[in-house]
Amino acid sequence: MNERPIIAVDAMGGDFGPSVVVPGAVEAARLHDLHVQLVGDTPKLEAELDKLDLKDVHYDIVQADDVVHMNEKPSDILRRKKNASIQVACRLVKDGAADAVVSAGHSGATVACGMFIMGRLPGVERPALAALLPTEKDPVVVLDAGANVDCRPYHLFQFGLMGDAFARDLLSYPSPRVSLLSIGEEEGKGNSQVKEAYELLKMAQNLNFVGNAEGRDIFTGDLDVVVCDGFVGNVVVKMSEGLASSLVRMLKKVFTTGVLPALGGMLAKGAFKKFASTIDYAEYGGAPLLGLQGLAIVCHGRSSSLAMTNAIKMGGTFVRKGTNSHLAETILANEELTRFSRAI
């Protein structure tokens, strides 16, 4: 267990670059006793650091000469941009100089570099993005949220195992309720991929599998982990974010049209702020890519300093809890089921 986890931060990533990433990283280091490695263009990073109070902040700068642009293909970035900040950050983890990497840059590049530079844990078929979504009660983990758009049943099976380990350690759920997203709650509903994954999840060791879930069940708070392929998961996550933003705008419109609605809006101002905070992605920081030798956390391109702080905090908690060891143990304990499904 590392007393002070070391988090490599892609300081050039995101829509706002170092101006947002650096303050967020510094705050995370100060509040959560972490060491942050700021990866990027040294003069630009130093210019941002000069604006901040660095007392009791553990950090260093790692030079990276190149930046990834959003219109570039992940495969091209891997081959041609060896000195891009995200590549340098992932190599720090691979070489043992850091425990995790956090980036608000090109999400495809972060996933690709995490998988091909850092590598997979033993037994993991495909790493999966785990997105946290707000519910009526506690947050729910949805995975895969976009790393794997084409999946086999045993991939979904392993996503369930990884989601269980993540929910236990990072969310402190003692026995996470793991479900499989389908078109009906009844056993036997869904396509062949879902049906076979259902049978595997039902036989898993020490997994609280509660069966199928429909889309409407995700936000009730009665589930802790929702398993699906990356195509479906990405649609779910982005639709949820879009709906939340639209709800806030619609409520503002309702309570600013006319005198009485405006008065009601003033009286309910505190409730609106609480609602906005509940659905704000910044509260969760980012989506961890589970199943790697280390950890990569993918953040929104438009992440605020608060979102970066929370993402880096998540990385530190992941390391301190030893979540990767627990995840690997769970995967290996169910290796026979994975191997059986792969052979079919």
Side-chain angles (χ1 to χ4, degrees):
M1 296 286 285
N2 195 333
E3 291 186 3
R4 182 175 291 122
I6 302 172
I7 313 298
V9 181
D10 174 11
M12 307 306 292
D15 294 353
F16 310 108
S19 65
V20 162
V21 177
V22 172
V26 166
E27 191 70 357
R30 176 185 290 111
L31 293 178
H32 306 294
D33 192 25
L34 303 171
H35 184 111
V36 293
Q37 293 181 321
L38 301 171
V39 183
D41 181 80
T42 300
K44 290 181 180 179
L45 302 186
E46 289 177 338
E48 295 300 328
L49 288 167
D50 287 343
K51 304 174 186 177
L52 304 171
D53 176 10
L54 300 177
K55 183 181 179 182
D56 299 324
V57 175
H58 298 273
Y59 77 95
D60 57 86
I61 295 174
V62 179
Q63 172 64 27
D65 300 325
D66 216 339
V67 178
V68 169
H69 302 290
M70 296 305 293
N71 61 345
E72 295 180 280
K73 294 181 180 179
S75 57
D76 291 339
I77 294 163
L78 275 168
R79 289 196 306 268
R80 301 173 185 171
K81 288 202 165 183
K82 302 295 184 183
N83 290 314
S85 53
I86 184 58
Q87 281 228 46
V88 174
C90 287
R91 284 200 295 274
L92 288 170
V93 178
K94 180 185 178 182
D95 295 341
D99 301 302
V101 59
V102 176
S103 177
H106 193 307
S107 58
T110 304
V111 170
C113 291
M115 291 174 65
F116 292 101
I117 295 175
M118 294 163 61
R120 297 172 294 168
L121 282 173
V124 171
E125 292 283 337
R126 291 188 184 178
L129 276 172
L132 284 169
L133 296 181
T135 74
E136 295 174 28
K137 300 171 186 175
D138 296 313
V140 64
V141 184
V142 176
L143 75 167
D144 179 25
N148 307 280
V149 296
D150 295 306
C151 295
R152 303 289 292 172
Y154 53 87
H155 296 142
L156 298 183
F157 171 57
Q158 288 200 337
F159 297 166
L161 300 177
M162 291 191 284
D164 173 75
F166 177 78
R168 286 177 186 273
D169 280 4
L170 273 293
L171 302 178
S172 299
Y173 297 165
S175 181
R177 296 158 294 182
V178 179
S179 63
L180 184 62
L181 193 59
S182 187
I183 58 172
E185 294 180 354
E186 302 83 4
E187 184 175 353
K189 286 292 184 73
N191 56 21
S192 58
Q193 172 206 56
V194 169
K195 290 177 184 178
E196 188 176 329
Y198 187 104
E199 295 301 318
L200 293 169
L201 289 163
K202 209 167 57 168
M203 293 186 284
Q205 291 186 34
N206 303 318
L207 188 73
N208 182 17
F209 179 55
V210 297
N212 286 339
E214 296 184 72
R216 66 188 177 192
D217 301 321
I218 295 174
F219 301 100
T220 62
D222 296 327
L223 301 170
D224 301 313
V225 178
V226 175
V227 175
C228 54
D229 65 46
F231 184 92
V232 173
N234 194 262
V235 171
V236 167
V237 169
K238 289 182 178 176
M239 183 178 69
S240 303
E241 292 172 353
L243 177 60
S245 298
S246 293
L247 280 173
V248 170
R249 289 193 293 269
M250 286 189 282
L251 285 170
K252 285 182 178 179
K253 186 175 181 180
V254 167
F255 286 101
T256 54
T257 305
V259 177
L260 290 177
L263 179 60
M266 290 177 64
L267 294 174
K269 189 175 181 180
F272 290 152
K273 283 186 176 180
K274 186 175 181 181
F275 173 72
S277 175
T278 300
I279 63 174
D280 186 2
Y281 67 86
E283 295 296 320
Y284 306 105
L289 185 62
L290 304 178
L292 298 176
Q293 297 272 14
L295 176 69
I297 298 180
V298 179
C299 304
H300 277 281
R302 62 180 185 276
S303 286
S304 63
S305 290
L306 173 62
M308 296 306 300
T309 296
N310 285 336
I312 296 165
K313 173 190 174 184
M314 181 192 293
T317 303
F318 189 96
V319 174
R320 285 193 168 109
K321 292 271 189 177
T323 304
N324 249 4
S325 296
H326 303 154
L327 195 154
E329 290 167 5
T330 303
I331 293 291
L332 292 176
N334 291 275
E335 189 176 18
E336 287 186 11
L337 284 173
T338 303
R339 191 184 304 120
F340 168 75
S341 176
R342 195 192 306 116
I344 295 176

